[in-house]
CSV table of all heavy atoms in Angstrom, one decimal:
chain,number,residue,atom,x,y,z
A,11,THR,N,-9.8,-4.4,-40.7
A,11,THR,CA,-11.2,-4.9,-40.6
A,11,THR,C,-11.5,-6.0,-41.6
A,11,THR,O,-12.1,-7.1,-41.3
A,11,THR,CB,-12.2,-3.8,-40.7
A,11,THR,OG1,-12.0,-2.9,-39.6
A,11,THR,CG2,-13.6,-4.3,-40.7
A,27,PHE,N,-5.7,-8.1,-31.2
A,27,PHE,CA,-5.3,-6.7,-31.5
A,27,PHE,C,-4.3,-6.3,-30.5
A,27,PHE,O,-4.6,-6.3,-29.3
A,27,PHE,CB,-6.6,-5.8,-31.5
A,27,PHE,CG,-7.6,-6.2,-32.5
A,27,PHE,CD1,-8.6,-7.1,-32.1
A,27,PHE,CD2,-7.6,-5.6,-33.7
A,27,PHE,CE1,-9.6,-7.5,-33.0
A,27,PHE,CE2,-8.6,-6.0,-34.7
A,27,PHE,CZ,-9.6,-6.9,-34.3
A,29,PHE,N,-2.3,-3.7,-28.3
A,29,PHE,CA,-2.4,-2.4,-27.8
A,29,PHE,C,-1.1,-2.0,-27.1
A,29,PHE,O,-1.1,-1.3,-26.1
A,29,PHE,CB,-3.6,-2.3,-26.8
A,29,PHE,CG,-4.9,-2.4,-27.5
A,29,PHE,CD1,-5.5,-3.7,-27.8
A,29,PHE,CD2,-5.6,-1.3,-27.7
A,29,PHE,CE1,-6.7,-3.8,-28.4
A,29,PHE,CE2,-6.9,-1.4,-28.3
A,29,PHE,CZ,-7.4,-2.6,-28.7
A,36,TYR,N,1.1,-2.4,-33.5
A,36,TYR,CA,0.3,-1.6,-32.6
A,36,TYR,C,-1.0,-1.2,-33.4
A,36,TYR,O,-0.9,-0.5,-34.4
A,36,TYR,CB,1.1,-0.4,-32.2
A,36,TYR,CG,0.3,0.6,-31.3
A,36,TYR,CD1,-0.4,0.1,-30.2
A,36,TYR,CD2,0.4,1.9,-31.5
A,36,TYR,CE1,-1.1,1.1,-29.4
A,36,TYR,CE2,-0.2,2.9,-30.7
A,36,TYR,CZ,-1.0,2.4,-29.7
A,36,TYR,OH,-1.7,3.3,-28.9
A,37,VAL,N,-2.1,-1.6,-32.9
A,37,VAL,CA,-3.4,-1.5,-33.7
A,37,VAL,C,-3.7,0.0,-34.0
A,37,VAL,O,-4.3,0.3,-35.0
A,37,VAL,CB,-4.5,-2.3,-33.0
A,37,VAL,CG1,-4.9,-1.6,-31.7
A,37,VAL,CG2,-5.7,-2.4,-33.9
A,38,HIS,N,-3.4,0.9,-33.0
A,38,HIS,CA,-3.9,2.3,-33.3
A,38,HIS,C,-3.0,3.0,-34.3
A,38,HIS,O,-3.3,4.1,-34.7
A,38,HIS,CB,-3.9,3.0,-31.9
A,38,HIS,CG,-5.1,2.6,-31.1
A,38,HIS,ND1,-6.3,2.3,-31.6
A,38,HIS,CD2,-5.2,2.4,-29.7
A,38,HIS,CE1,-7.1,1.9,-30.6
A,38,HIS,NE2,-6.5,2.0,-29.5
A,39,LYS,N,-2.0,2.4,-34.8
A,39,LYS,CA,-1.3,2.9,-36.0
A,39,LYS,C,-2.1,2.7,-37.2
A,39,LYS,O,-1.8,3.3,-38.3
A,39,LYS,CB,0.1,2.3,-36.1
A,39,LYS,CG,1.2,2.8,-35.2
A,39,LYS,CD,2.6,2.4,-35.6
A,39,LYS,CE,2.8,0.9,-35.6
A,39,LYS,NZ,4.3,0.6,-35.7
A,40,PHE,N,-3.0,1.7,-37.1
A,40,PHE,CA,-3.8,1.3,-38.3
A,40,PHE,C,-5.3,1.6,-38.2
A,40,PHE,O,-6.0,1.8,-39.2
A,40,PHE,CB,-3.6,-0.2,-38.5
A,40,PHE,CG,-2.2,-0.6,-38.7
A,40,PHE,CD1,-1.4,-1.0,-37.6
A,40,PHE,CD2,-1.6,-0.7,-40.0
A,40,PHE,CE1,-0.1,-1.4,-37.7
A,40,PHE,CE2,-0.2,-1.1,-40.1
A,40,PHE,CZ,0.5,-1.4,-39.0
A,41,MET,N,-5.8,1.5,-37.0
A,41,MET,CA,-7.3,1.5,-36.8
A,41,MET,C,-7.6,2.3,-35.5
A,41,MET,O,-7.0,2.1,-34.5
A,41,MET,CB,-7.8,0.1,-36.6
A,41,MET,CG,-7.5,-0.9,-37.7
A,41,MET,SD,-7.9,-2.6,-37.2
A,41,MET,CE,-9.7,-2.5,-37.4
A,42,PRO,N,-8.6,3.2,-35.6
A,42,PRO,CA,-9.1,3.9,-34.4
A,42,PRO,C,-10.0,3.0,-33.6
A,42,PRO,O,-10.5,2.0,-34.1
A,42,PRO,CB,-9.9,5.1,-35.0
A,42,PRO,CG,-10.3,4.6,-36.3
A,42,PRO,CD,-9.3,3.7,-36.8
A,43,GLN,N,-10.3,3.4,-32.4
A,43,GLN,CA,-11.2,2.6,-31.5
A,43,GLN,C,-12.5,2.3,-32.1
A,43,GLN,O,-13.0,1.2,-32.1
A,43,GLN,CB,-11.4,3.3,-30.1
A,43,GLN,CG,-10.2,3.3,-29.2
A,43,GLN,CD,-9.5,4.7,-29.3
A,43,GLN,OE1,-9.4,5.3,-30.4
A,43,GLN,NE2,-9.0,5.2,-28.2
A,44,ALA,N,-13.1,3.3,-32.7
A,44,ALA,CA,-14.5,3.2,-33.2
A,44,ALA,C,-14.5,2.1,-34.3
A,44,ALA,O,-15.5,1.3,-34.4
A,44,ALA,CB,-14.9,4.5,-33.8
A,45,GLU,N,-13.5,2.0,-35.1
A,45,GLU,CA,-13.5,1.0,-36.2
A,45,GLU,C,-13.3,-0.4,-35.6
A,45,GLU,O,-14.0,-1.4,-36.1
A,45,GLU,CB,-12.3,1.2,-37.2
A,45,GLU,CG,-12.3,0.3,-38.4
A,45,GLU,CD,-11.2,0.6,-39.3
A,45,GLU,OE1,-10.5,1.6,-39.2
A,45,GLU,OE2,-11.0,-0.3,-40.2
A,46,ILE,N,-12.5,-0.6,-34.6
A,46,ILE,CA,-12.4,-1.9,-33.9
A,46,ILE,C,-13.7,-2.3,-33.3
A,46,ILE,O,-14.1,-3.4,-33.4
A,46,ILE,CB,-11.3,-1.8,-32.9
A,46,ILE,CG1,-9.9,-1.4,-33.5
A,46,ILE,CG2,-11.1,-3.2,-32.2
A,46,ILE,CD1,-8.9,-1.1,-32.4
A,47,LYS,N,-14.4,-1.3,-32.7
A,47,LYS,CA,-15.6,-1.6,-32.0
A,47,LYS,C,-16.7,-2.1,-33.0
A,47,LYS,O,-17.5,-3.0,-32.7
A,47,LYS,CB,-16.2,-0.4,-31.2
A,47,LYS,CG,-17.4,-0.7,-30.4
A,47,LYS,CD,-17.6,0.3,-29.3
A,47,LYS,CE,-18.6,-0.2,-28.3
A,47,LYS,NZ,-18.7,0.6,-27.1
A,48,LYS,N,-16.7,-1.6,-34.2
A,48,LYS,CA,-17.7,-1.9,-35.2
A,48,LYS,C,-17.5,-3.4,-35.7
A,48,LYS,O,-18.5,-3.9,-36.3
A,48,LYS,CB,-17.6,-1.0,-36.4
A,48,LYS,CG,-18.2,0.4,-36.1
A,48,LYS,CD,-18.1,1.3,-37.3
A,48,LYS,CE,-18.6,2.7,-37.0
A,48,LYS,NZ,-18.4,3.6,-38.2
A,49,ILE,N,-16.4,-3.9,-35.6
A,49,ILE,CA,-16.1,-5.3,-36.1
A,49,ILE,C,-17.0,-6.3,-35.4
A,49,ILE,O,-16.8,-6.5,-34.2
A,49,ILE,CB,-14.6,-5.7,-36.0
A,49,ILE,CG1,-13.8,-4.7,-36.8
A,49,ILE,CG2,-14.4,-7.1,-36.5
A,49,ILE,CD1,-12.3,-5.0,-36.6
A,50,LYS,N,-17.8,-6.9,-36.1
A,50,LYS,CA,-18.7,-8.0,-35.6
A,50,LYS,C,-18.8,-9.1,-36.6
A,50,LYS,O,-19.1,-8.9,-37.8
A,50,LYS,CB,-20.1,-7.5,-35.2
A,50,LYS,CG,-20.1,-6.5,-34.0
A,50,LYS,CD,-21.5,-6.1,-33.6
A,50,LYS,CE,-21.5,-5.4,-32.3
A,50,LYS,NZ,-20.7,-4.1,-32.3
A,56,LYS,N,-13.0,-10.7,-30.3
A,56,LYS,CA,-11.9,-9.7,-30.3
A,56,LYS,C,-11.1,-9.8,-29.0
A,56,LYS,O,-11.7,-9.8,-27.9
A,56,LYS,CB,-12.4,-8.3,-30.5
A,56,LYS,CG,-12.9,-8.0,-31.9
A,56,LYS,CD,-13.5,-6.7,-32.0
A,56,LYS,CE,-14.9,-6.6,-31.3
A,56,LYS,NZ,-15.6,-5.3,-31.6
A,60,PHE,N,-2.2,-6.6,-24.2
A,60,PHE,CA,-1.6,-5.4,-23.5
A,60,PHE,C,-0.3,-5.8,-22.8
A,60,PHE,O,-0.1,-7.0,-22.4
A,60,PHE,CB,-2.6,-4.9,-22.4
A,60,PHE,CG,-3.9,-4.4,-23.0
A,60,PHE,CD1,-4.9,-5.3,-23.2
A,60,PHE,CD2,-4.0,-3.1,-23.3
A,60,PHE,CE1,-6.1,-4.9,-23.8
A,60,PHE,CE2,-5.2,-2.6,-23.8
A,60,PHE,CZ,-6.3,-3.5,-24.1
A,66,GLU,N,-6.7,1.3,-15.9
A,66,GLU,CA,-7.6,2.2,-16.5
A,66,GLU,C,-7.5,2.1,-18.0
A,66,GLU,O,-8.5,2.2,-18.7
A,66,GLU,CB,-7.3,3.7,-16.0
A,66,GLU,CG,-7.7,3.9,-14.6
A,66,GLU,CD,-6.7,3.3,-13.6
A,66,GLU,OE1,-5.5,3.0,-14.0
A,66,GLU,OE2,-7.1,3.0,-12.4
A,67,GLU,N,-6.3,2.1,-18.5
A,67,GLU,CA,-6.1,2.0,-20.0
A,67,GLU,C,-6.7,0.7,-20.6
A,67,GLU,O,-7.3,0.7,-21.6
A,67,GLU,CB,-4.6,2.0,-20.3
A,67,GLU,CG,-3.9,3.4,-20.2
A,67,GLU,CD,-2.4,3.3,-20.3
A,67,GLU,OE1,-1.8,2.2,-20.0
A,67,GLU,OE2,-1.8,4.3,-20.6
A,68,VAL,N,-6.5,-0.4,-19.8
A,68,VAL,CA,-7.1,-1.7,-20.3
A,68,VAL,C,-8.6,-1.6,-20.3
A,68,VAL,O,-9.2,-2.0,-21.3
A,68,VAL,CB,-6.6,-2.8,-19.4
A,68,VAL,CG1,-7.3,-4.1,-19.9
A,68,VAL,CG2,-5.1,-3.0,-19.6
A,69,LEU,N,-9.2,-1.2,-19.2
A,69,LEU,CA,-10.6,-1.2,-19.1
A,69,LEU,C,-11.3,-0.2,-20.1
A,69,LEU,O,-12.4,-0.5,-20.7
A,69,LEU,CB,-11.1,-0.9,-17.7
A,69,LEU,CG,-10.6,-1.9,-16.6
A,69,LEU,CD1,-11.2,-1.6,-15.3
A,69,LEU,CD2,-10.9,-3.3,-17.1
A,70,GLN,N,-10.6,0.9,-20.4
A,70,GLN,CA,-11.1,1.9,-21.3
A,70,GLN,C,-11.1,1.2,-22.7
A,70,GLN,O,-12.0,1.4,-23.5
A,70,GLN,CB,-10.2,3.1,-21.3
A,70,GLN,CG,-10.7,4.2,-22.2
A,70,GLN,CD,-9.9,5.5,-22.1
A,70,GLN,OE1,-9.0,5.6,-21.3
A,70,GLN,NE2,-10.2,6.5,-23.0
A,71,ALA,N,-10.0,0.5,-23.1
A,71,ALA,CA,-10.0,-0.1,-24.4
A,71,ALA,C,-11.0,-1.2,-24.5
A,71,ALA,O,-11.6,-1.4,-25.6
A,71,ALA,CB,-8.6,-0.7,-24.6
A,72,VAL,N,-11.3,-1.9,-23.4
A,72,VAL,CA,-12.3,-3.0,-23.5
A,72,VAL,C,-13.7,-2.3,-23.9
A,72,VAL,O,-14.4,-2.9,-24.7
A,72,VAL,CB,-12.5,-3.7,-22.1
A,72,VAL,CG1,-13.7,-4.5,-22.0
A,72,VAL,CG2,-11.2,-4.5,-21.8
A,73,ASP,N,-14.0,-1.2,-23.2
A,73,ASP,CA,-15.3,-0.5,-23.5
A,73,ASP,C,-15.3,0.1,-24.9
A,73,ASP,O,-16.2,-0.1,-25.7
A,73,ASP,CB,-15.5,0.6,-22.5
A,73,ASP,CG,-15.9,0.0,-21.2
A,73,ASP,OD1,-16.4,-1.2,-21.1
A,73,ASP,OD2,-15.8,0.7,-20.1
A,74,GLU,N,-14.2,0.8,-25.3
A,74,GLU,CA,-14.2,1.6,-26.5
A,74,GLU,C,-14.0,0.7,-27.7
A,74,GLU,O,-14.4,1.1,-28.8
A,74,GLU,CB,-13.1,2.6,-26.5
A,74,GLU,CG,-13.3,3.7,-25.4
A,74,GLU,CD,-12.3,4.8,-25.4
A,74,GLU,OE1,-11.2,4.6,-26.0
A,74,GLU,OE2,-12.5,5.8,-24.8
A,75,CYS,N,-13.4,-0.5,-27.6
A,75,CYS,CA,-13.2,-1.4,-28.7
A,75,CYS,C,-14.1,-2.6,-28.7
A,75,CYS,O,-14.0,-3.4,-29.6
A,75,CYS,CB,-11.7,-1.8,-28.8
A,75,CYS,SG,-10.6,-0.4,-28.9
A,76,GLY,N,-14.9,-2.8,-27.7
A,76,GLY,CA,-15.7,-4.0,-27.6
A,76,GLY,C,-15.0,-5.3,-27.5
A,76,GLY,O,-15.3,-6.3,-28.2
A,77,LEU,N,-14.0,-5.3,-26.6
A,77,LEU,CA,-13.1,-6.5,-26.5
A,77,LEU,C,-13.8,-7.6,-25.7
A,77,LEU,O,-14.5,-7.4,-24.7
A,77,LEU,CB,-11.8,-6.2,-25.8
A,77,LEU,CG,-11.0,-5.1,-26.5
A,77,LEU,CD1,-9.7,-4.8,-25.7
A,77,LEU,CD2,-10.6,-5.5,-28.0
Side-chain angles (χ1 to χ4, degrees):
T11 295
F27 299 87
F29 290 82
Y36 177 48
V37 68
H38 288 323
K39 283 197 294 191
F40 304 89
M41 306 169 74
Q43 289 100 322
E45 185 179 350
I46 302 169
K47 188 160 192 173
K48 284 180 184 174
I49 298 174
K50 288 184 171 63
K56 292 175 284 188
F60 298 86
E66 291 73 23
E67 286 170 337
V68 174
L69 299 186
Q70 185 176 355
V72 170
D73 285 340
E74 292 182 349
C75 300
L77 303 178

